[in-house]
Structure formats: C-alpha cells, structure tokens
Amino acid sequence: MDKPIKFSPLFWPVRFKDNTIYVLDETLLPNKLHYIKVKTCQEACAAIKQMKTRALGQVTLVFYTFLLVIHQNKNKKGLMRVLEKTAKAINATRPTLSFRYLTDMVLDWAKSGAPLQNNIVRFLDTLKSKRIQQAEETSQLVNDGDIILTHCNISGLMPLIAEFCLRQNKKVSFFATETRPYLQGSRLTAWELKQQGFSVTVICDSAVAFVLSAGKINKIIVGADHLARNGDIANKIGTYQIAILARHFNIPFYVLCPPASPAKSGKDIKIEIRPEKELLEFQGIRLAPKGVKGYYPAFDITPNSLITKHIYLKLDR
C-alpha cells in the first residue's frame, strides 16, 4: 500500500476555521511559516493585492471570503447584495487574474437557490482532488533522470509531481529560476522541493538560455494564472521568453493550466502593472538610485503555438 501523499504547505495555503481565514504569508517564506488571520472582506482583498498569497492561494481565498461573509451575514434577505458587493471588491484586486469566473460562479449558485455554503465547500474539495490528478497526469510526461526547469511557483504542484515520479521509480531533479522581483522561484519553489527531499538548483532568470544551450534541461514545466480560449496563457513575467528558448532548443514546454476564461486570446487578457517600488526595492532596501523609474508587468502572454502540451485542471462549474 502506498504511503499517504505528503503535501507542501503551498498546495493548500488558505484555511477557514471559526469565522476566520488563515492565509499562509508567502512573502515571509522561506524564513518563517506564518499564517495571517483574515476576518473581513477588506482584509482578504488587501492580502490578494499585497500578494501575501498568490496563484492557488488567491483562488481559494476568494471562496473562503464568500464563506466568511455568509457566516457574518445571517439575514438571508440582504445576503445577495452583500455577495455582489464582495464579488465587486474581489474582481477589482488584480486585473490579470480571472477572478470574475470564480465570483460569477458563486453568484450563480446563490441565485439558483441551492445551498450556497455546501456548493462552495464541495467545489473546494473537488479543486483539491483535481489538482492531485493534474500533478499525477504531469508525472506521466516525465522520464527517469529528467532535469526539469520551472519558473515562479505552481502552488505545491512541483513537489507533488516529483512525488508521483518517485512512486513510478523515476528519479527527477529540478532547476528553478529565481523569478525576479518577488523571487518566488528561490523563496518558494526551491524551498518546497528541498523540504520534501528533491534536488533543486536555483539559477538567475538571465541564465536560462545558457543553461538550455548547455543541454542541462530535458523538460520545462510552468503554471498559468490565466488561460484564454485559444490556448494562450498569462503567467509570471519571464515565462514567454523561456517558451521562445524552449522552441529554439527543441525542449518540451508544458503548462499546468486553470480552466479557460472568457478571453478569446492572450490579447484579451489585461496585464497587471505592479507598483514600481516592488522592482526598485527589496524588503525595504533600495536596489536602484533614487529618481530611477521602474516598470514591472507582473505577467506576460505565451502564445499557444509555443506550448507543447496544456495539462488542464478539469473542473466543472
């Protein structure tokens, strides 16, 4: 009998208990494992904007925020108005992420008259199991001895993929880009892989072409924050250039995707421009001379034509 699956804390970084949402503060990793207490919709939106959690963490936080306001508003007559206000606040937090797909889902459930809280809990349980399936499907694409390059962080899926490979008697190792300027690769991906006993090497973002040209990488696996109907994806800035290099060096480029949004193509995905301070400073220390401007698009668009295979998160509304 297989041993129980060991999950990274990043696989499910948000929890709900006793009318409080507990959010893993990913900005403090790897130095500190700390959960922020969120007790209002406003605090949840602030956690999203400040990237206290990201990717899967922000998706689950959306649903837990609705659970929170349901618990806080016992008056069923006024609940729909509160839910709509909550959806509007969440949708305004980060433009590139398809939160509207999620908030519309909750509002549709509420309008249908079905037990809203039960639907939300059931959806989250399904999301968790489908993510496990997504990781297992990805592991089937990996060969024994593969060295995998990844960019940014896929919310606990990379060590899970490695775990499934291990169960298939396949040994894999990883290269992780540092992923400037938030350093999700070196702070999060490298941390969770090392925590779970897998070999990982961090490289600076600008070293990707050299590393690929040296023949050190067999596969590239990244996530996606947004999937358009035509297969284009939005992911952490720097993904597009890695996809171009993968095509140049004939290396498979795999993407773990969320369900498609209404966007017809990548051109319809609005790119979030983050505050320049996040690029010019790190943990309060100025990295560039005063007066220098910064430009930090948080995402870029990788066209479908550069993607070897989409590994879909198969969810039904």
Side-chain angles (χ1 to χ4, degrees):
M1 183 176 178
D2 287 336
K3 294 186 296 184
I5 296 173
K6 182 181 178 182
F7 295 100
S8 161
L10 292 167
F11 177 80
W12 206 259
V14 182
R15 304 166 187 168
F16 182 66
K17 184 180 180 182
D18 298 331
N19 286 336
T20 302
I21 305 172
Y22 294 86
V23 180
L24 176 61
D25 189 345
E26 298 176 26
T27 66
L28 300 180
L29 291 172
N31 298 316
K32 187 177 182 181
L33 193 68
H34 173 71
Y35 286 82
I36 302 166
K37 292 182 180 180
V38 170
K39 296 188 176 185
T40 66
C41 174
Q42 292 78 10
E43 290 175 354
C45 290
I48 291 172
K49 288 180 180 179
Q50 296 165 12
M51 291 178 65
K52 295 297 185 180
T53 186
R54 3 122 276 125
L56 184 277
Q58 295 191 351
V59 171
T60 54
L61 182 52
V62 168
F63 287 100
Y64 285 128
T65 302
F66 280 109
L67 280 182
L68 180 67
V69 299
I70 291 169
H71 279 248
Q72 291 175 341
N73 293 269
K74 302 298 183 181
N75 182 4
K76 291 185 179 181
K77 290 184 178 179
L79 182 59
M80 193 65 211
R81 184 174 58 82
V82 174
L83 294 174
E84 289 172 345
K85 185 178 179 180
T86 300
K88 183 177 180 181
I90 290 169
N91 293 338
T93 55
R94 300 191 69 193
T96 302
L97 305 185
S98 51
F99 288 146
R100 188 171 297 279
Y101 174 88
L102 307 176
T103 59
D104 282 353
M105 191 186 308
V106 175
L107 295 179
D108 287 347
W109 288 335
K111 291 171 185 175
S112 73
L116 182 54
Q117 184 170 328
N118 291 348
N119 274 350
I120 292 174
V121 171
R122 185 164 50 246
F123 177 84
L124 290 171
D125 287 342
T126 301
L127 175 59
K128 190 176 292 185
S129 65
K130 294 296 185 181
R131 296 193 79 231
I132 296 170
Q133 290 178 19
Q134 192 181 26
E136 187 169 17
E137 181 183 343
T138 306
S139 72
Q140 303 295 330
L141 301 170
V142 178
N143 298 318
D144 182 34
D146 271 353
I147 303 174
I148 300 166
L149 174 72
T150 188
H151 182 62
C152 198
N153 181 263
I154 321 178
S155 297
L157 286 185
M158 201 57 74
L160 190 54
I161 292 166
E163 176 69 22
F164 280 121
C165 287
L166 201 59
R167 292 175 181 221
Q168 299 160 24
N169 296 314
K170 296 185 292 192
K171 186 178 180 181
V172 296
S173 56
F174 298 86
F175 272 57
T177 59
E178 60 179 353
T179 324
R180 282 278 298 144
Y182 257 85
L183 304 175
Q184 295 101 320
S186 55
R187 292 191 305 101
L188 305 181
T189 300
W191 171 76
E192 65 178 358
L193 285 168
K194 182 69 172 62
Q195 283 282 103
Q196 299 201 214
F198 299 108
S199 174
V200 56
T201 301
V202 173
I203 60 171
C204 61
D205 295 3
S206 54
V208 172
F210 176 80
V211 170
L212 297 189
S213 70
K216 293 182 179 293
I217 303 298
N218 307 103
K219 302 281 192 312
I220 299 171
I221 302 175
V222 300
D225 290 277
H226 198 136
L227 171 66
R229 296 286 175 183
N230 72 337
D232 295 349
I233 65 152
N235 194 47
K236 176 68 180 180
I237 188 72
T239 303
Y240 180 28
Q241 61 200 34
I242 294 175
I244 292 171
L245 290 167
R247 176 59 55 87
H248 179 74
F249 291 108
N250 197 30
I251 297 170
F253 184 88
Y254 300 124
V255 180
L256 288 92
C257 298
S261 79
K264 292 181 180 179
S265 73
K267 292 179 180 179
D268 300 310
I269 300 173
K270 183 178 180 180
I271 296 299
E272 175 186 9
I273 307 300
R274 298 286 298 178
E276 64 175 16
K277 181 179 179 181
E278 296 179 6
L279 178 65
L280 302 175
E281 295 182 9
F282 183 70
Q283 294 184 344
I285 300 174
R286 183 80 181 182
L287 302 177
K290 289 185 178 180
V292 171
K293 296 180 180 179
Y295 178 60
Y296 174 22
F299 304 91
D300 55 26
I301 304 297
T302 299
N304 179 39
S305 60
L306 294 177
I307 298 171
T308 307
K309 182 179 176 63
H310 299 75
I311 301 112
Y312 296 102
L313 183 67
K314 300 177 178 71
L315 285 174
D316 296 323
R317 287 187 61 164

